[in-house]
Amino acid sequence: MSGSAHEALTWTSKPAGPLSGQIRIPGDKSVSHRAMMLGAIAEGITHVSGFLEGEDTRATAAVMQTLGAHMETPAPGQRIVHGVGLHGLRGVEQPLDCGNAGTGMRLIAGLLAGQAFDSTLVGDASLSKRPMRRITDPLAAMGAQIETAPDGTPPLRIHGRRKLKGVEYTLPVASAQVKSALLLAGLYAEGQTQVIEPHPTRDYTERMLAAFAADIDFSPGRARVRGGVPLRATDIEVPADFSSAAFFLVAASIVPGSHLMLPAVGLNPRRTGLLEALRLMGANIEVLHEREAAGERIGDIRVRYAPLHGAVIPPALVPDMIDEFPALFVAAAAAEGTTVVSGAAELRVKESDRLAGMAIGLRALGVRVEESDDGASIHGGRIAGGRVDSLGDHRLAMSFAAAGLVATGPVRIGDCANVATSFPGFTELANGCGFALEAA
Ligand code: S3P
């Protein structure tokens, strides 16, 4: 997954625009991962439409297939998952490769903690640096036995044949991944597993477990599941990924004269903090035809250029826009005045250290950025051309591509191949609406 071919891709994003047209954003990454996992351990056949054909979610699908769940791909974006039931997965000798995906590895670890076989989870260079004790500690409290590397990073060696018992666990940091790992382990535990969050995070695992007929109840900041209850297959319609839409929301907001429509984007309130943050900065974004589709709130988003100004981003918004900070940094760099981000230390343990990566990149483009332990102050107004490094982080690459639109010269962005993990076809979609983005 992390081969050197990946590191070789460089983009050049040139000043361009205005942006216009309609953009069909690919399927939600979080929902796509979960659909593969739950479909695989359900009883019966699950039809998934809108599946994200990204490397991360395909890696999860491949892991579940390796463990014995047969899947068909009748067309791109569709999967027919033949569930094997709660106890139907079969162990394999070889390591299971989660690629670049923290979500894949952490959730699958929860799922495998209560199996009757051993397994090993590995990932690419970025994933191999990410902290895993945040899941292995609470899973150990449930009775799981999982070894990490000495510094708490992958590979994960998961010992099977452990009897799990339900626990009540209060998360030290707001993390949907940790919550979800525990709830999935809870499916195999004796009794009830309850997770309390310091701030509510995305609730896709809870919603999808309910759709698969698990014994679950949940409300913002709390979820409880009872173990030993079989899951019943269902059909999943994956909404368009708000986090992928984010690059276009920012790009159209900063390029004069822009007007974009993004139809049927997922609007789960635990994902849409960026809308609020951009509106605080003066953005012109409307949500039209808000509706429910397959139990999720979706809507069409219209974004038009507006002169942005700096703002203090309320720390309470951070969990609701945890993946959108690279894009927000670019909006802040283009805005007049200073934008202040705090309470966002989690950004340091994503696919890259996103606080450092964005600060270094924006400085290379002439933007003054002061970094703190848990945030940054970005003094916006003018973005120059220059060379930046995406550090192999898909969201940095796409954010810098948006910056190039309003820079005073071309922005060369190194190490962009990992965009394929979450947003296949980004370049074509971006150029179709007015970007000038090329591999070079
Ligand atoms: C995700 C949760 C978030 C997010 C990630 C996807 C999920 O991570 O950053 O991209 O699907 O549960 P944390 O919950 O660890 O913050």
Side-chain angles (χ1 to χ4, degrees):
M1 264 282 148
S2 65
S4 50
H6 254 185
E7 279 136 44
L9 181 62
T10 296
W11 280 350
T12 301
S13 177
K14 295 193 182 136
L19 306 181
S20 65
Q22 179 160 301
I23 311 272
R24 293 220 164 259
I25 300 288
D28 189 280
K29 184 152 72 74
S30 294
V31 176
S32 297
H33 277 299
R34 288 158 171 82
M36 295 300 103
M37 295 176 204
L38 296 192
I41 57 165
E43 288 176 6
I45 296 175
T46 291
H47 292 86
V48 182
S49 60
F51 176 73
L52 171 65
E53 297 287 0
E55 289 175 357
D56 276 10
T57 42
R58 283 182 173 176
T60 289
V63 167
M64 301 317 297
Q65 287 182 86
T66 303
L67 294 170
H70 175 58
M71 293 188 195
E72 296 169 65
T73 304
Q78 288 182 29
R79 290 292 184 281
I80 301 173
V81 185
H82 297 258
V84 295
L86 220 44
H87 300 285
L89 298 177
R90 294 287 167 260
V92 291
E93 281 293 313
Q94 78 262 30
L96 301 162
D97 189 351
C98 300
N100 188 243
T103 307
M105 183 175 282
R106 293 187 177 122
L107 271 60
I108 290 170
L111 200 61
L112 295 183
Q115 302 291 336
F117 52 83
D118 300 341
S119 20
T120 301
L121 299 180
V122 296
D124 74 359
S126 152
L127 182 52
S128 298
K129 288 191 214 131
R130 297 183 67 184
M132 292 295 151
R133 289 210 177 104
R134 54 181 56 202
I135 57 157
T136 57
D137 286 349
L139 288 172
M142 295 177 74
Q145 193 186 345
I146 306 179
E147 287 150 33
T148 65
D151 60 352
T153 58
L156 298 181
R157 293 186 204 292
I158 304 169
H159 296 262
R161 297 166 293 280
R162 309 284 303 178
K163 219 172 141 39
L164 303 188
K165 55 182 183 327
V167 288
E168 184 178 315
Y169 185 71
T170 301
L171 297 183
V173 288
S175 167
Q177 294 182 358
V178 179
K179 169 178 67 177
S180 301
L182 300 184
L183 293 176
L184 295 180
L187 297 175
Y188 293 88
E190 193 191 320
Q192 314 222 354
T193 298
Q194 169 140 253
V195 186
I196 319 274
E197 305 178 276
H199 184 288
T201 63
R202 64 191 75 189
D203 55 4
Y204 299 120
T205 303
E206 296 92 307
R207 286 162 179 267
M208 209 183 281
L209 280 172
F212 275 92
D215 181 348
I216 181 157
D217 59 73
F218 59 100
S219 55
R222 194 198 64 84
R224 182 211 54 83
V225 71
R226 190 161 62 86
V229 177
L231 303 186
R232 240 189 0 246
T234 184
D235 291 347
I236 305 280
E237 243 179 82
V238 182
D241 196 316
F242 184 87
S243 297
S244 296
F247 308 106
F248 292 97
L249 296 181
V250 167
S253 293
I254 63 178
V255 180
S258 295
H259 181 169
L260 287 181
M261 281 298 302
L262 311 177
V265 179
L267 294 173
N268 183 302
R270 300 277 73 87
R271 296 292 295 284
T272 50
L274 180 74
L275 284 183
E276 229 170 294
L278 287 176
R279 282 178 180 144
L280 278 176
M281 298 170 76
N284 181 351
I285 304 177
E286 290 165 274
V287 174
L288 309 167
H289 310 121
E290 216 172 313
R291 54 206 186 265
E292 287 259 318
E296 277 294 335
R297 211 163 72 157
I298 67 165
D300 307 332
I301 306 183
R302 173 155 64 200
V303 51
R304 283 183 272 211
Y305 166 75
L308 300 187
H309 51 78
V312 176
I313 307 302
L317 268 189
V318 168
D320 295 347
M321 56 181 290
I322 192 65
D323 291 335
E324 281 61 77
F325 280 95
L328 177 91
F329 271 50
V330 169
E336 282 302 328
T338 301
T339 297
V340 182
V341 171
S342 63
E346 274 293 295
L347 297 180
R348 296 205 181 275
V349 291
K350 293 295 178 188
E351 286 85 326
S352 69
D353 176 342
R354 288 182 171 161
L355 287 176
M358 288 307 297
I360 293 167
L362 287 178
R363 280 188 206 122
L365 302 179
V367 181
R368 190 152 68 84
V369 182
E370 286 132 23
E371 207 183 316
S372 65
D373 288 349
D374 69 344
S377 296
I378 303 116
H379 305 277
R382 181 180 180 276
I383 302 178
R387 298 177 79 97
V388 299
D389 188 348
S390 82
L391 307 173
D393 184 328
H394 54 136
R395 300 205 196 279
L396 266 63
M398 291 184 273
S399 300
F400 288 131
L405 286 164
V406 292
T408 54
V411 172
R412 270 177 71 81
I413 312 159
D415 205 356
C416 295
N418 268 344
V419 167
T421 61
S422 71
F423 203 146
F426 173 78
T427 309
E428 294 73 17
L429 269 187
N431 286 336
C433 75
F435 279 62
L437 180 63
E438 55 191 43

